[in-house]
Amino acid sequence: MSELSAGSDMESSLTEEFEEGSSRTLPEPSLIAETSEGRQEMYPRTSTDEIELRRQQGAVLRIPEAAATAVNEGEVEVSDDETMIINMGPQHPSTHGVLRVMMELDGETVLRSKPVIGYLHTGMEKTGEELSYVQGATNVTRMDYLSPLNNELVYSLAVESLLGVEIPERATWIRMLMSELNRISSHIMWLATNGMDLGSTSMMIYGFREREMILAFFEKVTGLRMNHNYIRPGGVAADLPDGWEEDVELICDTVPKRLEEYDELLTGQPIFRERTEGVGYLSAEEALALSATGPILRASGVPWDLRRTMPYLYYDEVEFDVVIGTYGDCFDRYAVRINEVRESVRIIRQVLEKMPLGDYRTQDKKVTPPPRARIDESMEALIHHFKIYTEGFRVPPGETYVAIESPRGELGCYMVSDGTSKPYRMHIRGPSFVNLQSLPPMLRGGLVADAVAVISSVDPVMGEVDR
Amino acid sequence: MIAEQSKQVEQGALGQDGRDDQDKAEVEGIAHAPSSTDTSAVEVVHVSRAKYLDVVAASKSEGFEMCSDLCAVDYLTYPAPRNLPDGIRPERFEVVVNLLSLSTAKRRRIRVQVPEEDPVVPSLFGLYPGVEAMEREAYDLMGISFDGHPDLTRILMPEDWEGHPLRKDYGVGRVPVQFKEAPGPR
């Protein structure tokens, strides 16, 4: 009985909400109450208004107005009883965590789709407001767990741009080295899971093997395999260990050879090409309009890479190519990523040559605690050390937006400071979160079996999508 | 849906004066930020709500092809002076839009003040379809409504969640953990 009454309460609150919010008609309230997802759900065509329908069909791109209407006109009218709305996820192995995609199917063809997210939401932006700038990097590093160093980097760059501190050269080069290694490990991880999604389990094993090599190096440098908290405001946590050059050289020698093996395994493989070529097409206009960045945008033929076009760190001092695709299909996104690994290896070799000697963190006493040896002999140094780790350092009021090119696209951090030792507002622009919007136009008109390939090619990391 | 919330935090300098002041702010045009708030080398534009859509549309035709980010800030407990240019009246909320021009490699940040009593701004969905998820996120976490958005629903929080967690008067650690459809506290 109690269950029943709880259900009807919910119904009434939901219907009320609707009456004040919008005028569109909805399916029976009991249907909504059954799922508890409420309005996030995808509804039958009859109860979906036109603009929302167009959005779910992926025809929202009113940038070329004519093109969008053409899509609508070409639309075959399908009645509700001929189509079926199904869920893919959140517990689907190919959804890389807890992504749920609702799809309207006509037979095996996907007509509309809608990603439903939020299953991994842990309020990291809110947490970021409660942590001091010193602690903040431990928080952001857990967002995109496949490229934690890039998250730390964007956070640190944002804090530093508000602080106005100069970062020593060596620290900047170390940051570049680490974020490029992270790009390799992230892309190789993607190759592995993409292979797995498309049925190539051997690729899965090879990919993890190569990633392991890089994670072992990360462990040597930072002490942890993931969630390093290595790049911090003011520099990096520790200098590179002795003999790091040999490790990095070994990675630089091994990875390109293994990439050739992957080429043999996947690139030229007829089954793999069948499954990815012409699947999940996204035009450059669509990608731009949907704010897609990273390999998705580049695969559609737009040569936009923040490392090249708006350089940060010392990316303007190294040579590398921006890899772009032509067709914007799943295969192009694969090709862009595998070739970006090669470019990253190229960058790392240059970093090896150019790595200067010097400090690994700024000597600004405001940000950096005194060295251990000083604490033993000076009371002031002890107090200073204590202050930095308990209270943190104060950051002048202001606001800033910093963006870097993470393996998934533009990773941005909008930070507002109020002059205290905690950020007033910390907003992360997650590339996976934004890129997921390009899923409906990619899926539209394709087969439901291809949805696996398409979702995989977007490379969403749910930790970053939901934050 | 804006849930009613008890104000656990004192109202700061941004009190809720009469509506006439707000109307005055609507008449004012666009103002460029003083250089002190411009901490990085991007152009920061302050704009009133009335001109918001026009300014974004003009920016788009100027060559800002992509809206890379949209987020909202709650300035309820901001202790420092807001440092806004003349003609822009500080309000509780601010919507920040980051536009990106790929052709000229430039960024432009547009900041709009949104009053607490009427937290509504026009949606940019018609100009940049990519703001769809970002506006939903701002609605979900900050409680700002976007007029003209096709599907303004919660995106990260559960549908039956009350309140908007990123608001400054939303308590941290004071809300018991809610699981979906769990029986209530005994």
Side-chain angles (χ1 to χ4, degrees):
Chain A
M1 270 311 281
S2 62
E3 227 173 49
L4 274 177
S5 65
S8 62
D9 276 1
M10 203 170 154
E11 276 168 35
S12 58
S13 71
L14 274 170
T15 38
E16 267 169 35
E17 224 175 77
F18 263 100
E19 272 152 21
E20 63 179 8
S22 67
S23 57
R24 63 184 149 114
T25 51
L26 274 174
E28 286 176 40
S30 60
L31 275 177
I32 301 174
E34 260 174 29
T35 60
S36 90
E37 287 297 344
R39 291 164 72 190
Q40 295 180 27
E41 292 265 359
M42 182 194 243
Y43 296 116
R45 273 161 195 270
T46 44
S47 47
T48 311
D49 67 7
E50 195 190 345
I51 182 166
E52 165 73 353
L53 198 63
R54 283 169 66 182
R55 190 180 74 72
Q56 288 173 6
Q57 283 170 338
V60 289
L61 307 159
R62 287 177 278 152
I63 306 310
E65 182 83 37
T69 42
V71 173
N72 244 20
E73 279 163 13
E75 175 82 27
V76 188
E77 265 315 309
V78 210
S79 71
D80 273 335
D81 46 348
E82 283 169 22
T83 64
M84 176 170 56
I85 294 179
I86 65 153
N87 270 311
M88 187 162 163
Q91 273 100 6
H92 191 282
S94 83
T95 53
H96 296 218
V98 282
L99 171 66
R100 172 179 171 207
V101 185
M102 297 190 75
M103 288 185 284
E104 185 191 39
L105 303 181
D106 178 20
E108 272 198 75
T109 312
V110 182
L111 297 175
R112 294 184 289 153
S113 55
K114 182 175 182 179
V116 180
I117 59 173
Y119 297 96
L120 214 55
H121 179 60
T122 44
M124 284 166 136
E125 288 183 7
K126 188 77 173 172
T127 313
E129 293 173 8
E130 299 297 316
L131 298 176
S132 71
Y133 291 101
V134 183
Q135 299 166 322
T138 50
N139 178 38
V140 291
T141 191
R142 282 157 173 80
M143 288 180 178
D144 181 351
Y145 42 78
L146 292 183
S147 60
L149 287 158
N150 283 284
N151 291 351
E152 295 164 18
L153 179 62
V154 74
Y155 181 84
S156 302
L157 288 176
V159 177
E160 284 152 12
S161 100
L162 286 170
L163 271 175
V165 293
E166 282 286 313
I167 301 305
E169 275 192 25
R170 185 177 172 86
T172 310
W173 284 105
I174 293 176
R175 285 176 171 191
M176 259 176 83
L177 172 75
M178 297 301 273
S179 63
E180 283 311 310
L181 281 171
N182 207 169
R183 191 181 315 275
I184 296 180
S185 76
S186 172
H187 277 343
I188 287 182
M189 175 75 186
W190 177 81
L191 289 170
T193 51
N194 185 55
M196 172 88 155
D197 289 339
L198 298 177
S200 167
T201 38
S202 37
M203 185 60 227
M204 173 85 177
I205 289 160
Y206 295 148
F208 269 85
R209 182 185 65 188
E210 267 65 274
R211 178 173 177 256
E212 194 56 40
M213 195 167 59
I214 296 170
L215 291 193
F217 178 71
F218 282 166
E219 192 180 2
K220 211 169 175 180
V221 177
T222 70
L224 291 166
R225 288 157 48 86
M226 291 173 89
N227 308 333
H228 314 278
N229 189 20
Y230 178 68
I231 298 174
R232 298 178 188 178
V236 293
D239 207 347
L240 295 170
D242 291 342
W244 65 274
E245 290 98 338
E246 285 89 73
D247 291 333
V248 174
E249 263 163 29
L250 185 68
I251 292 172
C252 288
D253 290 340
T254 316
V255 168
K257 276 187 222 151
R258 298 284 160 79
L259 288 178
E260 277 167 30
E261 290 176 26
Y262 301 164
D263 270 341
E264 268 175 46
L265 185 67
L266 295 178
T267 315
Q269 219 247 20
I271 301 173
F272 179 78
R273 292 190 80 115
E274 270 307 286
R275 286 218 62 186
T276 51
E277 277 181 341
V279 170
Y281 166 75
L282 190 75
S283 73
E285 288 82 28
E286 284 173 322
L288 282 176
L290 291 168
S291 306
T293 46
I296 297 179
L297 182 62
R298 287 194 284 277
S300 299
V302 181
W304 181 259
D305 187 326
L306 289 176
R307 294 178 293 170
R308 167 61 54 81
T309 50
M310 300 171 98
Y312 52 98
L313 301 183
Y314 291 138
Y315 279 111
D316 45 353
E317 290 181 27
V318 290
E319 275 179 29
F320 64 99
D321 293 331
V322 175
V323 186
I324 61 166
T326 319
Y327 302 104
D329 56 1
C330 285
F331 184 78
D332 271 4
R333 291 191 275 275
Y334 160 82
V336 164
R337 286 193 179 99
I338 197 167
N339 285 309
E340 269 182 17
V341 177
R342 294 197 168 96
E343 294 305 317
S344 287
V345 171
R346 220 174 123 191
I347 294 174
I348 290 169
R349 284 193 195 280
Q350 295 172 60
V351 174
L352 264 176
E353 279 170 26
K354 295 191 177 188
M355 181 71 76
L357 291 173
D359 292 324
Y360 60 90
R361 48 192 322 183
T362 172
Q363 288 306 304
D364 191 328
K365 293 196 170 47
K366 203 177 142 193
V367 186
T368 307
R372 183 69 186 81
R374 288 270 301 136
I375 295 173
D376 292 340
E377 54 194 43
S378 156
M379 187 63 193
E380 284 70 31
L382 179 65
I383 295 171
H384 186 193
H385 185 278
F386 181 74
K387 275 279 203 186
I388 282 189
Y389 281 106
T390 52
E391 204 182 279
F393 49 81
R394 287 168 191 276
V395 171
E399 44 105 44
T400 189
Y401 179 81
V402 175
I404 64 164
E405 185 76 28
S406 99
R408 268 152 279 279
E410 178 180 325
L411 176 62
C413 180
Y414 180 71
M415 194 177 275
V416 181
S417 165
D418 57 354
T420 60
S421 56
K422 291 173 181 171
Y424 186 78
R425 173 91 165 92
M426 195 264 303
H427 169 76
I428 295 283
R429 185 250 192 230
S432 311
F433 174 69
V434 182
N435 285 353
L436 261 191
Q437 295 182 100
S438 45
L439 209 49
M442 283 184 196
L443 288 174
R444 188 180 140 72
L447 297 177
V448 67
D450 288 337
V452 176
V454 174
I455 294 171
S456 173
S457 79
V458 174
D459 191 17
V461 172
M462 295 316 286
E464 184 182 66
V465 172
D466 295 338
R467 297 188 295 287
Chain B
M1 180 197 72
I2 312 296
E4 286 180 12
Q5 288 170 349
S6 57
K7 295 275 178 308
Q8 294 159 341
V9 193
E10 263 180 65
Q11 288 278 140
L14 351 160
Q16 308 165 333
D17 318 70
R19 282 207 147 247
D20 42 1
D21 273 12
Q22 186 204 334
D23 292 341
K24 207 177 87 191
E26 302 275 284
V27 182
E28 303 291 343
I30 311 140
H32 288 256
S35 54
S36 54
T37 55
D38 194 356
T39 44
S40 46
V42 291
E43 189 184 0
V44 180
V45 181
H46 287 265
V47 64
S48 67
R49 249 198 318 176
K51 300 222 169 151
Y52 168 60
L53 209 55
D54 295 343
V55 169
V56 178
S59 299
K60 193 183 173 188
S61 51
E62 245 175 77
F64 288 88
E65 300 99 335
M66 189 190 274
C67 175
S68 62
D69 187 31
L70 184 147
C71 70
V73 186
D74 180 2
Y75 278 101
L76 181 68
T77 59
Y78 196 72
R82 290 286 295 280
N83 210 355
L84 296 174
D86 294 341
I88 299 293
R89 187 174 169 275
E91 297 284 356
R92 177 173 169 184
F93 296 111
E94 186 175 290
V95 170
V96 184
V97 181
N98 269 294
L99 300 181
L100 175 65
S101 165
L102 277 75
S103 43
T104 57
K106 272 186 189 150
R107 286 184 194 279
R108 176 179 287 176
R109 192 153 67 233
I110 295 173
R111 299 169 62 182
V112 203
Q113 302 296 316
V114 185
E116 182 181 6
E117 318 86 67
D118 178 30
V120 184
V121 284
S123 171
L124 299 183
F125 182 76
L127 294 163
Y128 299 101
V131 299
E132 198 266 335
M134 308 175 201
E135 286 185 346
R136 272 177 77 190
E137 190 194 8
Y139 163 75
D140 187 1
L141 302 180
M142 202 64 95
I144 290 171
S145 296
F146 292 87
D147 199 13
H149 189 284
D151 180 31
L152 200 62
T153 52
R154 288 194 180 269
I155 185 167
L156 295 177
M157 305 300 287
E159 189 57 37
D160 49 359
W161 193 269
E162 278 184 23
H164 302 282
L166 276 182
R167 287 190 172 190
K168 287 288 175 180
D169 53 6
Y170 187 94
V172 178
R174 266 165 274 176
V175 179
V177 177
Q178 290 182 22
F179 293 102
K180 266 191 209 169
E181 292 179 341
R186 264 162 265 186

